[in-house]
Amino acid sequence: MVYPYQKNIPFEYDETSTTNSIIEESVQTIGPLHLHLCRGLNFTSQNQYPIVQPYIGIIPEIMQSVHRLIRKPDSYLEQCCGSFFTIDSNFERFWTYPYRYLNFLRKLQCVLSTDFSIYTNMLQMQKLWNSFRNKLMSAFYQHNGIPVVPAPSWGDLKYIELYMEGWPKNSIIAINSTGIGRDRRSRHIWLDGYYAMLDLLKPIFILRYGCMIEGEKKEISRFYPNNNKQD
């Protein structure tokens, strides 16, 4: 999605070394907000969300959570799409140590965006912070040469445009329905957000993780089974 106004956030320091060890040491002085990850990225002018580029690539055959792939052989990783559709604690380390896992992620066929949770019972700023983190990590990975399938997520319809700001239009995307379960109200809320997302982003194809929700567009979707039961 090309936003009409893009700008880089200015920085008050200059990182003189690009080695992972030096950068990771600098994180201790920069703080947990990971300002250094923003270097070289573009942000929307309205709310300064990181801008994620579209994915137009191979539709993966295998999708598996990244925390289960770390010790797999390279020959297997080349066939896999790394997913973050699992509980947050399984991939929080990818946020805490963002540079440590770049070489591992480059071995994969592609990766999905991180999926830090956006729950309806969270405070609004908590939801928006996790939405920001998901976009930031996606743009950071793309900036470092990793093919990323955007994985938009949302909380409530009132702020749907904020949740979608920064995600690309006309892209292959990924969506997760785990946690929706059989609760009718949850499925209804999810489906409302789903159609609002379709209207805003107009994806060309959807990698669907988890069970199908009655009413979604099966003709543009490929469904992958939920393998989180082992977590």
Side-chain angles (χ1 to χ4, degrees), residues 2-229:
V2 178
Y3 290 86
Y5 301 101
Q6 302 178 3
K7 63 180 179 180
N8 290 318
I9 292 179
F11 293 88
E12 296 180 356
Y13 67 94
D14 182 25
E15 187 66 69
T16 57
S17 174
T18 57
T19 61
N20 289 1
S21 59
I22 298 298
I23 292 175
E24 286 192 16
E25 287 178 7
S26 71
V27 174
Q28 298 178 12
T29 58
I30 296 170
L33 298 183
H34 285 345
L35 182 63
H36 59 299
L37 297 189
C38 299
R39 296 196 58 168
L41 306 184
N42 287 324
F43 295 79
T44 64
S45 61
Q46 184 174 1
N47 295 294
Q48 293 192 335
Y49 274 115
I51 294 174
V52 182
Q53 299 302 316
Y55 174 84
I56 311 293
I58 298 172
I59 304 297
E61 295 290 329
I62 305 171
M63 184 183 295
Q64 193 167 358
S65 180
V66 289
H67 75 285
R68 292 207 187 95
L69 293 172
I70 288 178
R71 292 180 176 83
K72 298 289 186 181
D74 290 358
S75 58
Y76 182 74
L77 297 180
E78 292 170 357
Q79 309 172 51
C80 288
C81 172
S83 163
F84 291 90
F85 290 154
T86 180
I87 57 175
D88 293 16
S89 59
N90 281 336
F91 61 89
E92 186 70 38
R93 53 185 158 167
F94 285 79
W95 168 260
T96 306
Y97 306 105
Y99 292 91
R100 181 176 298 179
Y101 296 97
L102 288 179
N103 288 335
F104 158 70
L105 293 173
R106 289 188 183 111
K107 297 176 182 179
L108 296 166
Q109 188 177 69
C110 59
V111 300
L112 305 187
S113 301
T114 57
D115 190 50
F116 289 106
S117 297
I118 301 176
Y119 295 125
T120 55
N121 60 352
M122 283 179 167
L123 297 175
Q124 189 58 40
M125 291 310 298
Q126 292 175 313
K127 298 176 190 177
L128 295 177
W129 167 239
N130 275 351
S131 181
F132 177 88
R133 287 206 291 172
N134 290 332
K135 295 162 191 172
L136 177 60
M137 293 302 288
S138 300
F140 168 70
Y141 287 154
Q142 289 179 337
H143 186 66
N144 282 276
I146 297 168
V148 176
V149 181
S153 55
W154 53 88
D156 48 273
L157 282 180
K158 181 179 179 181
Y159 297 97
I160 190 67
E161 292 188 359
L162 283 177
Y163 293 126
M164 295 302 112
E165 187 178 327
W167 294 118
K169 278 188 175 180
N170 304 311
S171 173
I172 297 172
I173 66 170
I175 297 177
N176 173 24
S177 67
T178 59
I180 303 302
R182 299 181 179 179
D183 180 71
R184 181 177 299 178
R185 181 175 178 273
S186 296
R187 292 200 305 271
H188 179 74
I189 293 173
W190 187 92
L191 200 60
D192 283 346
Y194 171 85
Y195 275 101
M197 177 276 299
L198 290 181
D199 185 57
L200 290 168
L201 301 185
K202 297 176 174 54
I204 60 174
F205 197 76
I206 301 174
L207 311 184
R208 274 288 286 106
Y209 187 82
C211 64
M212 185 190 74
I213 306 297
E214 188 62 37
E216 61 180 303
K217 292 185 174 294
K218 295 182 287 185
E219 65 275 13
I220 62 167
S221 304
R222 174 168 183 167
F223 291 84
Y224 297 82
N226 176 7
N227 57 19
N228 285 330
K229 295 179 181 178

